[in-house]
Amino acid sequence: MAARAVALALCARRRLQRGARSHRKRFMRRNTRKRAVRLVWNEHAGVDLLDWFVDHLPIREEWPKEECRACGIVSGENILAVVVFHHWSPTYRRIQVSIASADARWALARNCIKEIYAYAFDVVRAIKVYAETPAANMRAVRALRAVGMQPRALLEHHFGPGLTAVYSSRTVWEHRGEQEPPAIRPEQWGSLVKWAQQNVKSTQSAEAA
């Protein structure tokens, strides 16, 4: 009995050791993959990131390089996604981002997302980053929300007749966890309410006719 108990104890110990080694290997592989995902600017592995971005858009259009800044979320030599900053307004301090992706894992690269926001809010010194996404592409809208871009409005016929866009944005105050200044001043409320009431009445009259 004693010999059997010792043998069972030795077997259990070996199983625990094998399990610990297997867990360490999985942990190392997972962390190696995480470290491999990084942010690069302008080009990667001989590929111009803005050209890659244009090639992965559903509709090909011109993107002037002098007006855009492209960064890529990459893993090894693979490009997971490219983020393009464009339409920077120094007067209103807002900048637009557009994203083309080949792998949904880009939204999990938190270190890269932090660098992207740091560029927008600390380098460019924007107060708002915004995106306009086709409403039909809800996967992209959800991915933007996962990285902190909140849906704010629907823009009808934005990409053509019957093609609605989802307007998403993130402000510098949201990014830093600070209190936002009021978006509408108290003295504006009266005129806005009056405009809304008149607009609703005119819309109802048009529908009745």
Side-chain angles (χ1 to χ4, degrees):
M1 288 293 292
R4 186 179 179 188
V6 170
L8 289 172
L10 288 172
C11 287
R13 183 178 178 182
R14 281 195 291 269
R15 281 198 299 270
L16 286 173
Q17 288 173 340
R18 284 197 299 269
R21 284 196 297 270
S22 176
H23 176 74
R24 279 197 300 271
K25 287 179 181 177
R26 287 197 302 271
F27 180 83
M28 291 297 293
R29 282 198 299 267
R30 188 163 58 244
N31 279 272
T32 300
R33 285 198 296 270
K34 285 181 179 178
R35 284 195 298 270
V37 178
R38 66 190 194 282
L39 194 72
V40 297
W41 292 89
N42 302 322
E43 67 172 49
H44 177 64
V47 177
D48 184 282
L49 293 179
L50 188 58
D51 290 341
W52 188 97
F53 169 83
V54 172
D55 290 341
H56 285 74
L57 290 178
I59 300 175
R60 192 177 179 88
E61 56 183 302
E62 292 297 323
W63 289 73
K65 291 192 176 183
E66 63 274 10
E67 300 175 13
C68 302
R69 183 87 196 275
C71 61
I73 298 173
V74 304
S75 177
E77 293 192 357
N78 298 321
I79 300 174
L80 306 183
V82 170
V83 179
V84 175
F85 291 93
H86 54 101
H87 286 94
W88 161 240
S89 170
T91 303
Y92 303 112
R93 292 174 61 195
R94 62 174 181 246
I95 193 165
Q96 186 174 355
V97 293
S98 295
I99 302 169
S101 68
D103 191 321
R105 288 180 301 163
W106 73 267
L108 302 176
R110 296 299 174 185
N111 57 323
C112 298
I113 303 303
K114 284 178 66 176
E115 288 185 58
I116 290 169
Y117 282 130
Y119 173 78
F121 295 128
D122 300 331
V123 178
V124 178
R125 301 191 66 80
I127 62 170
K128 182 168 71 172
V129 179
Y130 69 97
E132 296 165 351
T133 311
N137 190 356
M138 289 308 297
R139 181 180 178 182
V141 174
R142 286 193 293 268
L144 285 171
R145 188 167 188 173
V147 299
M149 300 275 284
Q150 297 301 318
R152 311 287 186 185
L154 295 176
L155 308 176
E156 296 178 343
H157 312 298
H158 193 68
F159 292 117
L163 300 176
T164 300
V166 178
Y167 179 91
S168 306
S169 69
R170 183 175 179 83
T171 67
V172 66
W173 302 287
E174 288 174 322
H175 178 65
R176 295 174 180 169
E178 300 173 354
Q179 181 68 37
E180 286 193 34
I184 301 174
R185 295 189 299 275
E187 63 269 21
Q188 292 177 303
W189 275 110
S191 58
L192 285 170
V193 170
K194 185 177 179 180
W195 175 86
Q197 290 172 341
Q198 290 174 343
N199 188 58
V200 169
K201 286 179 182 177
S202 62
T203 302
Q204 289 174 342
S205 301
E207 290 175 351

